[in-house]
Amino acid sequence: MNAPTRPAASRSVVRAMIWATVPVLLLVQLLASAGVEVSSFWSQIRQLDARIARVAESRAELIAEPLWKMRYDQVTGVLNEIMHDETIAAAAVYDDTGVVIARVVARPAVQALTEVSRPIAYRNGNIAVQAGRIVIAYSYATLYVDTGSRLGLLLVVGLLGTLATVIAMRISANIFIGKPLAAMMSAIQRSKQDGRAYPADVKSSNEFGQLASAFNAMQHTTSGALDRLGHMAAHDPLTGLPNRRSLSERLVTLSRDAGSPDALIAFSFIDLDDFKGINDTFGHDAGDKFLVHISERLRDTVEPEDWVARLGGDEFVVIRPEVSNEAAAQAFARQVLDAISEPILLHDKQVVPRASIGLAVRRAGDPELSHLPALADIALYHAKSKAPGTVAVLDEALQRDYRRRRDLELAIPTGFAEQQFEVWYQSQVDLVTQDVIGLEALIRWRHPEHGVIGPGEFLPLIERSGNNARLTRYVLTDACRALQRLAAVGRPQIRIAINLPPSELADHSLAAELRETCERLGVAASSLELEITEGSLINNIASASETLRRLRRLGATIALDDFGTGYSSLAHLRRFPLDKVKIDKAFIREIPESAEDKAIVGVIASLAETLGLTLVAEGIERAEQAQAMREMGVRLGQGFLYHKPQPLDAVLGGLAETGGGEDRLLADSPPIAPEFAA
């Protein structure tokens, strides 16, 4: 791993330095040499011009007398004497009339020539006449050739010098730069691989040696901090247990280090029940102390080979790397649950912890081993929803239920887009006259694969996906259209009730949207009844009260659904703007046989009469239950005795069949789809 690192460091620095330096060095050398040669060349040109001028003057003096006395052979001889000069190409002598007397050509002119002309003066005593003139033609070719040769030589010498410089630079850069950098890079790479500190082996005393010394000192100083940071990254700061980041690494280690691929690994996913209540009651500091107690108990309960982690919040994990069978894994999980359930002292008060455990058992060689957290979470979901405080073991049925939930949750957007959600209606009747006075809108999901699905299964998924508001608007719009159709068939007096989820009571825009929908579809808000539960009131009393008052000002009726199953019911009747109370079917089911239930309903009826509230009995399935309600003063009822939830077309058909003077729905009205309880 370290061998390739050293050359890479050298190449990156040394080559960059050479490529940046050598072209500049070579260019400077060439420019300097060319400048010297050009200066020398022009100097030689000037010298040649001066020399040829002197030759012309000296030869003019020598041929003055022969020219004057017309001794032309002597003139030609003098010209021949200067032809040994390689720069002179030709020479000529003219008499005073301009006639050529003598001409000598040394070589053919292949390049441009330069001429020098001098007068020939003859003097003898008092005689001084202009006898003629001499012209010498000469060339710079020799200078050009010599200068070109010298420039070529200088270029070769410069290249050789540059090459020698590059070699020297590379050797020195590798020694003084490349090797120190490679040593430091190697130390850094090795530190990155395993997190340990490795010193850079640099012996020089120059700046790189000082840098390496500083680097080694920093490595030594920070190695302990890096170890602490690595531990913090993999462990929970509160309890000191491994965290979620360590979980996947642990599962890989278990799969690799298992003695046999068939070895069973037990994964327990632990979730504390009502930990939020502890935080709210005793404060977050006490909550942290509570979690530390739980972590210590888990450590004390497990064996050394077991692995305990905190995934965050109130979620813990215990992994037993080898169990004999699933029954042994269940026994171990129950042992952990018992240990958690021992009382803890918080603020001088004993608190009994409660937890639920989802257990998944898989073989070490199972491809699903990395999915153990998700598999155990499926079992945990079942434990908390069905029987909190127990151990649930993952099986095929739970996995099927989980896959169905996931399929439905993923299909929610498509369900809205394709209008798979249907609004069914169930009648509310006057128990004395059996006239239909209202309908309750109940949502169903007609899934293309799973058929008609009841609200108990998909409403929690709607809430978790954040589509509560969308579903409420969906039902509201359908209910307003149903009011249009009721008015069209001559039943405008029938009201429609829709259920509001708790989240809608915190939305102050609901009243404005309800008004806009009613105006758009041409129905009166007073034809709508909005049903809420006690639980939704408890979550946000101030916001819920404001939303309800806005809705009531529009003319809508407010009904409290499932009365008697929540908390502080009497306070709610007095505090909130309610018009109607619906007695939960749990109090109706055993009437008239149960004297206790009859007494409770009687008290509720008396209280409602005092407060001016209308009562509705839910879940009436037998005639004797209806009779008992009438005797106790309950005026309105709803249940299978009168009508099962059905699509609007079936409801309107039933109303048409029972028209006449009795607006009642037949108890045996045929359903057109599977029925579900309200």
Side-chain angles (χ1 to χ4, degrees), residues 260-277:
S260 167
D262 293 329
L264 292 178
I265 297 175
F267 188 100
S268 298
F269 203 141
I270 305 168
D271 186 89
L272 302 179
D273 297 331
D274 197 29
F275 176 66
K276 182 179 183 300

Side-chain angles (χ1 to χ4, degrees), residues 470-483:
R470 186 176 185 181
L471 184 65
T472 299
R473 275 62 174 177
Y474 189 94
V475 175
L476 173 62
T477 301
D478 195 275
C480 289
R481 291 198 175 105
L483 288 171

